[in-house]
Amino acid sequence: MYNGVINVYKEPGFTSFDVVAKLRGILKQKKIGHTGTLDPDAEGVLVVCLGKATKLCDMLTDKDKSYEAVMLLGRTTDTEDSSGKVLTKSEVNVTKEQVAEAVYSFVGRYDQIPPMYSAIKVNGKKLCELARNGVEVERSPRPVVIHDIKILSMELPRVTFRTTCSKGTYIRSLCRDIGEKLGCGGIMEHLVRSSVNAAGTGIIFTEEEALTLRQIEEKVSNHQIEDFILPVDALFPDLVRYQVTEEGNKKLYNGNILQSKDFLTDCQEKKDGAKCLMYDKEGKFTAIYRFYADLHIWKADKMFLGENEK
């Protein structure tokens, strides 16, 4: 079984679930999960966790992402992108200067109303399922952060821009809001996720390094795929690493509390709540632990044991 994280280039037409399903067939394993949904028509970086690394999915979803988008002004749709039913068409009677001013006005924190066609749940039901049944419900605005926007080109009614934003930001809705501000409406015509900054790891996954499903299949056939799977512990280059003693090994494998006497090296942790990587007596990565300064102990945060290692 493969264990680690792989950077997949999701191509248009596939859902994120499609990518996971196809990877299960290519890699011949079931334990696979992605860390952030991309719309079917969108493309770009999709960070996928394999095997033991699926335990990191919840940690890696809290991150910033960069996108390159094409916005089409003068139109609104029910999906807020070009795949939906056209609701309105308007003349685009604005200057490039006015468009630029509107685009840049969204830099910073703002409250964004998520689209109806999204996986957000209201009263236990996904908004997209309600939308497909012709039901529209009121959505509460959610705070998002647009860290930066750069307009790459402008040939009205189309505007191509690059943006870096916080988790939970919908670029479709950003295009909608820019269009509303300009008074002509706007939709997202094309979207590429160019990078994902995995929170707390210092690792940035880029589109240049991502592999398509076809490329992954080729790497598997040529027995090269291991070179493109990032081990779990490699995601945390800045965390302190400890290897346990013979006596500490049993405690580690049971997920028990560890003390400095259980390590082969001297204690380096000083900050309360700091995480560290734990390796067994053979030097094999086994768990992420957290340091509690008041008691001077380490408690298990996440265990990465194999099926036969418990």
Side-chain angles (χ1 to χ4, degrees):
M1 183 169 71
Y2 298 105
N3 297 293
V5 176
I6 188 166
N7 182 0
V8 181
Y9 192 93
K10 191 194 86 64
E11 297 170 280
F14 291 108
T15 65
S16 300
F17 180 79
D18 289 338
V19 171
V20 169
K22 289 181 179 296
L23 279 175
R24 285 173 178 153
I26 294 170
L27 300 177
K28 303 293 190 292
Q29 71 181 60
K30 292 182 178 179
K31 209 168 184 181
I32 300 177
H34 66 78
T35 66
T37 303
L38 262 178
D39 291 339
D41 291 338
E43 58 186 294
V45 174
L46 183 69
V47 180
V48 177
C49 296
L50 310 173
K52 299 175 187 178
T54 54
K55 295 183 179 181
L56 291 174
C57 284
D58 60 331
M59 292 174 65
L60 299 182
T61 53
D62 185 19
K63 50 192 172 280
D64 295 336
K65 304 168 188 177
S66 296
Y67 297 91
E68 188 170 309
V70 177
M71 175 175 62
L72 175 63
L73 296 173
R75 189 175 301 180
T76 64
T77 67
D78 57 352
T79 58
E80 302 178 2
D81 62 16
S82 57
S83 70
K85 176 184 176 183
V86 176
L87 301 177
T88 65
K89 287 186 177 181
S90 307
E91 292 291 329
V92 181
N93 297 317
V94 291
T95 65
K96 289 185 177 181
E97 291 74 18
Q98 289 172 320
V99 172
E101 183 180 354
V103 169
Y104 294 132
S105 72
F106 283 89
V107 174
R109 181 189 181 281
Y110 92 99
D111 292 331
Q112 184 183 78
I113 297 175
M116 272 301 300
Y117 281 86
S118 64
I120 295 172
K121 289 186 177 181
V122 174
N123 297 325
K125 292 188 177 181
K126 290 183 178 179
L127 288 176
C128 57
E129 293 174 355
L130 295 172
R132 292 190 190 103
N133 292 323
V135 178
E136 183 168 353
V137 297
E138 185 175 347
R139 287 95 68 202
S140 299
R142 304 190 309 169
V144 299
V145 179
I146 308 299
H147 297 296
D148 61 71
I149 297 179
K150 181 181 181 181
I151 294 175
L152 303 178
S153 66
M154 196 186 306
E155 296 295 333
L156 296 178
R158 288 177 174 82
V159 182
T160 301
F161 63 88
R162 182 181 295 124
T163 183
T164 300
C165 54
S166 65
K167 170 190 174 184
T169 303
Y170 284 89
I171 305 302
R172 286 180 286 147
S173 299
L174 175 61
C175 292
R176 173 203 66 200
D177 294 341
I178 293 171
E180 284 183 2
K181 188 160 191 171
L182 289 167
C184 59
I187 62 170
M188 184 186 75
E189 191 172 53
H190 185 64
L191 182 69
V192 177
R193 184 189 284 165
S194 52
S195 70
V196 170
N197 186 352
T201 69
I203 305 294
I204 297 177
F205 297 92
T206 66
E207 62 176 310
E208 291 80 12
E209 299 169 339
L211 297 176
T212 64
L213 290 171
R214 183 183 295 276
Q215 289 173 323
I216 292 172
E217 199 164 14
E218 291 173 354
K219 301 298 182 188
V220 171
S221 297
N222 296 329
H223 306 286
Q224 298 173 324
I225 193 61
E226 294 276 10
D227 296 336
F228 298 88
I229 297 174
L230 193 66
V232 174
D233 55 337
L235 282 164
F236 306 95
D238 297 330
L239 295 189
V240 175
R241 303 179 176 214
Y242 291 116
Q243 184 177 354
V244 297
T245 61
E246 182 85 29
E247 293 75 19
N249 207 59
K250 185 175 181 180
K251 295 181 184 178
L252 175 60
Y253 271 76
N254 286 323
N256 292 340
I257 289 171
L258 294 172
Q259 298 173 288
S260 56
K261 66 180 182 180
D262 296 312
F263 305 148
L264 289 176
T265 54
D266 292 336
C267 165
Q268 300 176 50
E269 296 291 0
K270 301 294 182 183
K271 185 179 178 182
D272 183 59
K275 293 180 181 178
C276 61
L277 305 179
M278 290 292 179
Y279 295 77
D280 68 11
K281 65 178 182 179
E282 306 297 333
K284 183 178 179 181
F285 173 65
T286 307
I288 294 177
Y289 266 61
R290 190 184 296 269
F291 179 60
Y292 291 82
D294 55 342
L295 301 173
H296 206 77
I297 59 173
W298 287 258
K299 291 184 180 180
D301 200 66
K302 283 190 182 290
M303 301 293 297
F304 297 92
L305 297 171
E307 294 178 0
N308 300 317
E309 295 173 295
K310 293 184 180 180

